[in-house]
């Protein structure tokens, strides 16, 4: 038996409950993994509220690290006893153990702890594709990154610094701005106290950034577009403040032939080989010391409701880990 966090209806954090269930054996292409730690991500909130709908009842959680217990037919990249970590569909990672598709589960190097693995798979592979697979970024490029002190944010600050990219971050408090600067942001604007658009213009000598990366969504999308130089790129990748309102294509023309994409990590992870490459690239950044994993807070599984409340109310910094 294993504990698992499920919802029977979409709604607030209080809708989550812990149930016991049988784990079973893996079929072809699957593994059984016993978790040591799970990661908390904003996508878990969207799935819990129904913004990203699930068939109900459904288990929650998209990321974990642990030890492989059994592998099904056709699984060759993992074996029982291996340390492993993943960010993967389907939701259900907030649990002691599960059977799941093997393709997106990755061998975890010994040098990276289970807690660190659970903290970085989803957020770190997101930064990997944002910096390397959407738009060709080069040393010296200026990037606007919204919510720079969050889980994805602090990893992005460090990744940018390690590649010579000038990351201009935003965050909701001066303390969070300080943290983003410590982790490698070139600048950080407290966007609850200052309009970030003129600040970004000032910091770029009036030119604007070549790319904006925006996981905050509704509250910042328009401002992010205003910070981008002509022919630049807008990467919208999240909705922490709510989904972005519909955009007229003519807006992109009037602001200088901008490009716009709305990305999701799971498109990039869908290919097994690419997923494994992305994980290796992320692990190499950690092992080289370029990225230090910032676990801002941990909660035991029994306190999953408190963990969701903290993430939604902007109280967290860095990554959040659920211990088992
Ligand atoms: P964070 O740790 O960054 O938490 C979200 C942060 O967003 C908050 O701490 C807060 O920072 C900021 N924020 C601004 N407005 C609000 C609001 N109204 N309510 C809540 N938070 C707000 O979360 P994650 O690192 O898990 O994810 C960051 C974003 O990236 C999310 O939107 C997530 O969905 C997205 N994401 C998208 C992926 C993709 O591939 N599309 C993959 C991974 C993440 P502050 O107080 O500083 O404003």
């Amino acid at each position: 038996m294993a504990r698992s966090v499920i919802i029977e209806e979409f709604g607030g954090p209080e809708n989550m409950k812990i149930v016991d269930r049988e784990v079973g054996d893996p079929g072809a292409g699957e593994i059984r993994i016993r978790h040591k730690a799970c990661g908390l991500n904003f996508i878990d909130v969207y799935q819990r509220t129904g913004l990203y709908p699930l068939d109900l009842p459904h288990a929650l959680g998209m990321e974990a690290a642990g030890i492989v217990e059994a592998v099904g037919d056709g699984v060759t990249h993992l074996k029982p006893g291996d340390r492993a970590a993943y960010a993967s569909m389907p939701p259900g990672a907030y649990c002691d153990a599960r059977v799941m598709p093997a393709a997106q589960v990755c061998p975890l190097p010994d040098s990276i702890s289970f807690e660190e693995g659970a903290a970085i798979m989803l957020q770190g592979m997101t930064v990997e594709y944002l910096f390397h697979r959407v738009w060709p970024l080069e040393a010296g490029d200026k990037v606007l990154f919204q919510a720079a002190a969050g889980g994805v944010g602090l990893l992005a600050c460090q990744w940018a610094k390690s590649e010579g990219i000038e990351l201009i971050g935003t965050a909701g408090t001066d303390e969070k701005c300080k943290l983003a600067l410590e982790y490698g942001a070139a600048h950080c604007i407290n966007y609850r106290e200052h309009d970030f658009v003129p600040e970004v213009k000032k910091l770029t000598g009036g030119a604007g950034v070549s790319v904006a990366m925006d996981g905050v969504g509704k509250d910042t999308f328009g401002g992010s577009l205003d910070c981008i130089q002509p022919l630049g790129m807008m990467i919208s990748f999240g909705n922490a403040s709510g989904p972005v309102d519909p955009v007229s294509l003519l807006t992109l023309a009037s602001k200088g032939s901008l490009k716009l994409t709305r990305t999701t990590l799971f498109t990039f992870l869908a290919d097994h080989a690419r997923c494994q490459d992305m994980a290796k690239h992320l692990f190499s950044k950690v092992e080289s010391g370029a990225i230090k994993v910032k676990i801002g807070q941990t909660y035991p599984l029994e306190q999953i409701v408190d963990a969701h409340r903290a993430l939604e109310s902007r109280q967290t910094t860095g990554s959040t880990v659920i211990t088992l």
Side-chain angles (χ1 to χ4, degrees):
M1 297 292 273
R3 296 171 301 161
S4 173
V5 175
I6 65 157
I7 50 165
E8 290 169 325
E9 283 178 41
F10 297 120
E14 64 285 352
N15 279 24
M16 291 181 289
K17 65 177 185 186
I18 298 176
V19 297
D20 286 322
R21 55 169 181 70
E22 297 287 343
V23 181
D25 293 320
E30 293 182 330
I31 59 158
R32 186 172 72 232
I33 181 166
R34 185 145 301 266
H35 291 158
K36 297 288 191 182
C38 317
L40 179 71
N41 293 284
F42 228 95
I43 189 172
D44 309 344
V45 173
Y46 307 145
Q47 290 171 341
R48 196 202 70 224
T49 59
L51 179 66
Y52 296 175
L54 301 171
D55 293 333
L56 297 178
H58 212 295
L60 292 183
M62 298 294 289
E63 169 183 55
I67 294 178
V68 177
E69 282 189 340
V71 304
D73 285 349
V75 177
T76 54
H77 68 294
L78 293 166
K79 60 181 186 320
D82 281 354
R83 303 171 84 251
Y86 66 86
S88 174
M89 294 285 185
Y94 296 163
C95 66
D96 294 314
R98 70 188 293 201
V99 167
M100 64 180 298
Q104 277 71 42
V105 183
C106 307
L108 181 68
D110 290 342
S111 58
I112 300 178
S113 72
F114 291 116
E115 288 74 17
E116 289 172 331
I120 58 168
M121 291 303 283
L122 197 144
Q123 296 166 351
M125 289 196 288
T126 298
V127 175
E128 204 272 355
Y129 85 69
L130 286 172
F131 279 74
H132 295 278
R133 295 174 197 266
V134 183
W135 179 253
L137 281 175
E138 286 172 11
D141 280 348
K142 292 177 172 43
V143 172
L144 170 64
F145 200 100
Q146 303 286 4
V152 180
L154 286 186
L155 292 164
C157 290
Q158 299 178 79
W159 204 299
K161 187 166 189 193
S162 74
E163 312 245 326
I165 290 160
E166 187 176 324
L167 184 147
I168 302 174
T170 58
T173 65
D174 289 345
E175 292 70 33
K176 286 187 176 188
C177 281
K178 196 166 160 250
L179 194 62
L181 292 170
E182 276 167 24
Y183 276 75
H187 310 277
C188 192
I189 304 157
N190 179 339
Y191 57 4
R192 289 174 105 170
E193 293 199 347
H194 304 282
D195 180 350
F196 65 84
V197 179
E199 298 290 326
V200 170
K201 287 283 166 63
K202 223 185 292 169
L203 289 168
T204 54
V209 294
S210 49
V211 183
M213 300 180 179
D214 190 330
V216 170
K218 191 177 180 66
D219 290 353
T220 52
F221 181 87
S224 290
L225 277 187
D226 288 337
C227 292
I228 304 171
Q229 64 195 33
L231 303 177
M233 178 78 181
M234 171 73 184
I235 308 175
S236 171
F237 68 99
N239 347 262
S241 66
V244 174
D245 292 328
V247 191
S248 163
L249 284 182
L250 288 177
T251 305
L252 302 178
S254 68
K255 293 187 188 297
S257 305
L258 302 185
K259 298 160 193 75
L260 166 64
T261 181
R262 174 53 167 94
T263 54
T264 168
L265 171 65
F266 300 99
T267 316
F268 295 88
L269 298 186
D271 180 80
H272 168 70
R274 185 169 54 215
C275 170
Q276 301 293 325
D277 278 353
M278 289 169 71
K280 280 185 198 147
H281 193 182
L282 170 63
F283 297 151
S284 73
K285 284 282 189 188
V286 176
E287 290 184 310
S288 72
I291 286 189
K292 305 221 180 317
V293 183
K294 165 72 172 166
I295 299 175
Q297 43 285 309
T298 59
Y299 295 84
L301 189 71
E302 296 77 12
Q303 288 175 16
I304 190 68
V305 171
D306 295 336
H308 269 232
R309 287 208 172 106
L311 182 63
E312 278 175 286
S313 60
R314 309 171 77 161
Q315 287 168 35
T316 62
T317 54
S319 305
T320 304
V321 167
I322 307 299
T323 54
L324 298 167

